[in-house]
Amino acid sequence: MTVGRTLLKSLLAAALLAAGLQATRADEWRTTSSLIGESKYGDNFQHYDYVNPNAPKGGTLNSVLLGTYDSFNPYIVQGSPAAGLAGFGGGLLYDTLMEQATDEGSVSHPLIADAYKYPADYSSATYRLDPRAKWHDGQPITVDDVIWSFKVLKANSPQYSRYFENVTDAVAISDREVEFHFNQKGNRELPKIMGDLAVLPKHWWEGTDAGGKKRDVTRPTLEIPLGSAAYKIASFKPGSEIVWQRVPDYWAAKLPVKVGRENFDTRRYTYILDDNAAWLAFTKGGLEDINREYSSRKWATAYNFPAIQAGDVIKKDFQAHSPQPMQGFALNQRRPLFQDRLVREALTIPFDFESMNRTLFFGFNTRTSSYFQGTELASSGLPQGKELEILEKYRDKLPPELFTQEFKLPVYDSPQAERKYLKQAVDLFAKAGWVIKGGKMVNAKTGAPFKFEILGWNDTDQVIASPYIANLRKIGVDATLRIIDQTQYINRVNNFDFDVVTGLFGQSDSPGNEQRDFWSSKAADAPGSRNLMGIKDPIVDALVDRIIFATDRDDLVAATHALDRVLLWNFYVVPQYYRSAVWLAYWNKFKFPDKQPAYVGADIDSWWVDLDKEKALAAKYKGGN
């Protein structure tokens, strides 16, 4: 009998894991949350398996950013927040209830909260606070702080508002427990992602500043805020520099997610307005210690400056196995020019990835063909099984090709390919009411030219856009590129004031509530949302909800396949490319474990400074490093 019960229990656990659930009874306290089976660390989690738990503290991490800043409040649309302040999550200043794992997808570990639980119907979630959690002023982090933060962030942060759309209330259960109530049952993700809530100090924000003026969490500020995380702002020069200092008595320093991490005593961010000046700052040392390179051309050809040749700067390729983001030209449907699906398809065809990869990217890149690239969530082939069942409901409102053709992007693999594909684009334009006259693509009825602007802010935008623009001009489309400074670019993108921009849509292994911010009709009208394309499609809205309320992992995969396919066949973006490698070049003053988390490629927070090397480099480069 005992053996039989043990076997039954094992089979049940396996079934739960296959469904993407933890083998824990409903309403039991959980110390680690996961949407895809149990964490590899189990209940005896001491520290990440890749860190050096005895990593020394000290030294400085210098970083350069482009643009400027004017606020220490990242949770509102107004203002440009300073480096280290995250608009979603806690950044360097605030801890969250739980912390997302660096080496496992869809897993979170305790931080402010030491455990959480939820009922079998997923109608609520209760978080239990760690009694050791405190603010930098020594006051404890309380349930009142959590409740106040939830209300403030949901009311003022566009991302939190959509992320927690189904969370109606937060109430105190005891002096350590806070319960979040949901307006719908069956959202398997929602109990877990409540752990992503950044907790702000109610007593500080409701207090007064040095001049006696009451603080306002809904407005930008340059008063240094009170925080709770491993760093605090030590000094700043408005718009040009911000210096963070490690908190020596940080309350969470010995928690498993923090052991061996956050080792730099100082993190200094210097703002530079020009991309070329930022590059020169890195090559000369002193302002930028670690450069993450995104340009294939630069990675292949530009790393030959004296510090590289002397071995004082090191190039290293870190492989990442996390989902790859959809990167592509986002076509803003708030502009009438892009509201016709045929037009959007026609604009997709002239993007010659193969020639660009060969001549510009040194063969490093791969064409993106899914919004969920690199995961089992990416659609392929023709819809079948549960995915087909989901899509059948909308068959008469979807492109018929979705059901009969595998989604394929053009492949420019021969000299004849360009002529073939550009003719296809012209034919699609013709179906949409556009014709070529005098070498220009014009509206067949009004004679208005097909003309639009691609907005960018750096050299990479020019590299990507120029060959695409050249191909568009071959079919009479008048596309231009406009480069503006980063601050202006961010403001215009936040307000959807553009024709086309390059968008980057990152995903996780377990999509859920964040999909609303990417694709929902409500997000299309919300400044600062990630719905750059202005998608307003009831089918997309329904599929997003289908993902959010998926009953198990199989159901989630099928629903995500369906959404992916609908997004692809509506040609909301012109897909560009991805690269699984993380390219880092760093001044040779750092040490780090040989093993880095494969999920993200590299965890800079697990690195530490060799103080002797730092001193030697500073002397050699006269103040640098």
Side-chain angles (χ1 to χ4, degrees):
M1 183 67 69
T2 302
V3 173
R5 274 200 289 266
T6 301
L7 178 59
L8 183 60
K9 184 176 179 181
S10 298
L11 291 172
L12 176 60
L16 286 168
L17 288 174
L21 302 171
Q22 295 185 48
T24 309
R25 290 203 318 270
D27 222 22
E28 273 192 7
W29 288 110
R30 295 163 163 81
T31 55
T32 291
S33 60
S34 175
L35 292 170
I36 313 179
E38 294 184 356
S39 167
K40 65 181 179 179
Y41 294 107
D43 294 332
N44 194 33
F45 181 30
Q46 301 296 315
H47 56 75
Y48 288 121
D49 61 14
Y50 64 86
V51 304
N52 172 9
N54 301 311
K57 307 294 184 183
T60 299
L61 173 62
N62 296 293
S63 302
V64 163
L65 290 93
L66 294 180
T68 185
Y69 72 90
D70 58 15
S71 177
F72 293 151
N73 184 357
Y75 300 112
I76 55 176
V77 175
Q78 299 90 351
S80 298
L85 294 159
F88 189 82
L92 296 180
L93 186 65
Y94 302 115
D95 281 332
T96 49
L97 285 175
M98 300 185 85
E99 181 160 294
Q100 293 188 20
T102 57
D103 59 349
E104 294 180 285
S106 302
V107 170
S108 295
H109 299 293
L111 192 49
I112 289 175
D114 61 17
Y116 85 120
K117 63 181 180 179
Y118 55 86
D121 63 0
Y122 304 98
S123 60
S124 66
T126 304
Y127 278 77
R128 186 180 69 200
L129 305 193
D130 189 322
R132 298 169 293 179
K134 65 179 182 179
W135 301 105
H136 292 158
D137 64 359
Q139 292 198 37
I141 298 176
T142 67
V143 165
D144 280 347
D145 289 320
V146 177
I147 294 171
W148 183 84
S149 299
F150 164 72
K151 292 178 179 178
V152 163
L153 292 175
K154 188 172 180 185
N156 295 285
S157 165
Q159 289 191 42
Y160 274 111
S161 175
R162 286 177 288 278
Y163 202 51
F164 294 148
E165 181 175 324
N166 293 114
V167 189
T168 58
D169 200 8
V171 297
I173 302 300
S174 70
D175 60 355
R176 284 186 59 199
E177 297 176 18
V178 56
E179 185 172 89
F180 299 97
H181 297 156
F182 310 149
N183 62 10
Q184 290 179 290
K185 300 176 182 179
N187 186 335
R188 297 168 55 251
E189 181 191 48
L190 201 46
K192 176 197 177 295
I193 66 171
M194 292 311 306
D196 295 335
L197 178 69
V199 182
L200 281 56
K202 178 183 178 184
H203 70 283
W204 189 88
W205 280 103
E206 291 193 338
T208 56
D209 61 20
K213 184 179 179 182
K214 185 174 174 57
R215 298 182 179 102
D216 186 352
V217 74
T218 69
R219 302 292 302 168
T221 181
L222 281 177
E223 181 187 9
I224 295 177
L226 176 69
S228 62
Y231 290 89
K232 61 182 177 181
I233 300 172
S235 64
F236 69 96
K237 297 174 183 176
S240 63
E241 182 185 83
I242 180 169
V243 179
W244 294 79
Q245 201 72 31
R246 189 173 59 83
V247 177
D249 60 347
Y250 173 43
W251 75 270
K254 294 183 179 179
L255 289 185
V257 292
K258 300 298 184 180
V259 171
R261 303 180 68 237
E262 296 170 333
N263 303 313
F264 311 119
D265 270 357
T266 304
R267 301 180 73 141
R268 176 179 287 105
Y269 295 90
T270 303
Y271 282 82
I272 292 179
L273 296 178
D274 179 72
D275 196 22
N276 290 327
W279 167 249
L280 289 175
F282 171 66
T283 65
K284 293 179 179 179
L287 294 180
E288 177 87 278
D289 292 337
I290 303 174
N291 184 54
R292 179 165 183 176
E293 187 57 71
Y294 296 95
S295 167
S296 302
R297 175 182 54 82
K298 286 180 71 173
W299 189 249
T301 65
Y303 286 81
N304 54 7
F305 48 92
I308 281 272
Q309 295 166 353
D312 293 328
V313 171
I314 297 173
K315 287 174 62 180
K316 189 168 178 62
D317 183 321
F318 297 85
Q319 289 298 315
H321 302 295
S322 55
Q324 300 300 324
M326 165 61 83
Q327 176 179 305
F329 288 119
L331 308 175
N332 189 357
Q333 293 178 79
R334 301 170 189 85
R335 305 285 203 257
L337 198 64
F338 304 115
Q339 290 175 359
D340 190 322
R341 188 185 76 91
L342 290 173
V343 165
R344 299 195 300 270
E345 182 178 0
L347 291 172
T348 299
I349 291 175
F351 189 85
D352 179 358
F353 165 75
E354 285 71 28
S355 296
M356 292 173 67
N357 198 36
R358 185 179 66 254
T359 61
L360 299 175
F361 304 145
F362 296 83
F364 286 132
N365 299 329
T366 303
R367 187 77 191 268
T368 302
S369 59
S370 168
Y371 287 84
F372 302 89
Q373 192 80 43
T375 73
E376 65 173 336
L377 302 164
S379 61
S380 61
L382 297 178
Q384 55 185 331
K386 186 177 286 189
E387 180 197 354
L388 180 58
E389 181 183 323
I390 293 169
L391 291 169
E392 281 288 358
K393 182 178 179 181
Y394 313 105
R395 179 182 279 268
D396 61 339
K397 297 178 181 178
L398 290 171
E401 305 97 309
L402 182 150
F403 294 94
T404 61
Q405 297 178 30
E406 183 176 1
F407 183 84
K408 294 285 188 182
L409 292 166
V411 178
Y412 286 75
D413 57 356
S414 69
Q416 296 76 32
E418 180 181 288
R419 178 178 296 183
K420 178 181 75 172
Y421 289 128
L422 293 185
K423 182 180 185 305
Q424 287 181 12
V426 170
D427 291 344
L428 285 166
F429 270 118
K431 289 181 181 179
W434 297 84
V435 296
I436 297 178
K437 288 186 177 179
K440 299 291 184 182
M441 185 71 70
V442 299
N443 188 285
K445 293 181 179 178
T446 67
F450 197 100
K451 182 177 182 179
F452 67 90
E453 177 184 86
I454 300 173
L455 195 65
W457 66 274
N458 63 19
D459 290 343
T460 301
D461 287 308
Q462 185 155 356
V463 171
I464 299 172
S466 295
Y468 179 52
I469 289 172
N471 258 11
L472 288 171
R473 286 178 177 167
K474 292 175 182 177
I475 57 173
V477 173
D478 185 7
T480 56
L481 172 67
R482 184 181 181 190
I483 300 292
I484 58 178
D485 69 78
Q486 188 181 36
T487 300
Q488 185 183 1
Y489 177 86
I490 291 170
N491 289 333
R492 287 188 59 175
V493 170
N494 281 341
N495 290 290
F496 310 124
D497 181 17
F498 59 85
D499 295 333
V500 176
V501 293
T502 291
L504 193 68
F505 307 94
Q507 296 290 351
S508 73
D509 289 316
S510 186
N513 287 39
E514 78 288 342
Q515 300 303 305
R516 289 188 175 123
D517 199 41
F518 286 129
W519 329 117
S520 74
S521 298
K522 186 178 291 187
D525 294 324
S529 86
R530 289 175 284 183
N531 188 348
L532 301 180
M533 296 73 64
I535 300 170
K536 286 187 175 181
D537 186 338
I539 297 175
V540 171
D541 290 338
L543 291 174
V544 166
D545 278 349
R546 187 75 167 72
I547 288 171
I548 292 171
F549 294 99
T551 56
D552 55 32
R553 181 69 184 176
D554 288 343
D555 196 41
L556 176 69
V557 171
T560 308
H561 284 172
L563 175 64
D564 187 33
R565 203 178 298 273
V566 169
L567 294 174
L568 290 170
W569 278 104
N570 275 294
F571 298 97
Y572 295 123
V573 307
V574 179
Q576 294 175 4
Y577 55 84
Y578 70 91
R579 184 173 56 245
S580 59
V582 176
W583 289 337
L584 296 181
Y586 56 91
W587 281 84
N588 190 16
K589 69 177 190 178
F590 297 101
K591 292 186 176 180
F592 51 85
D594 290 337
K595 179 181 180 182
Q596 287 285 284
Y599 186 71
V600 295
D603 175 17
I604 303 300
D605 280 332
S606 71
W607 296 23
W608 64 93
V609 172
D610 183 318
L611 297 179
D612 290 335
K613 286 186 175 182
E614 183 175 61
K615 184 178 179 180
L617 285 172
K620 183 175 181 179
Y621 291 89
K622 297 181 181 179
N625 294 288

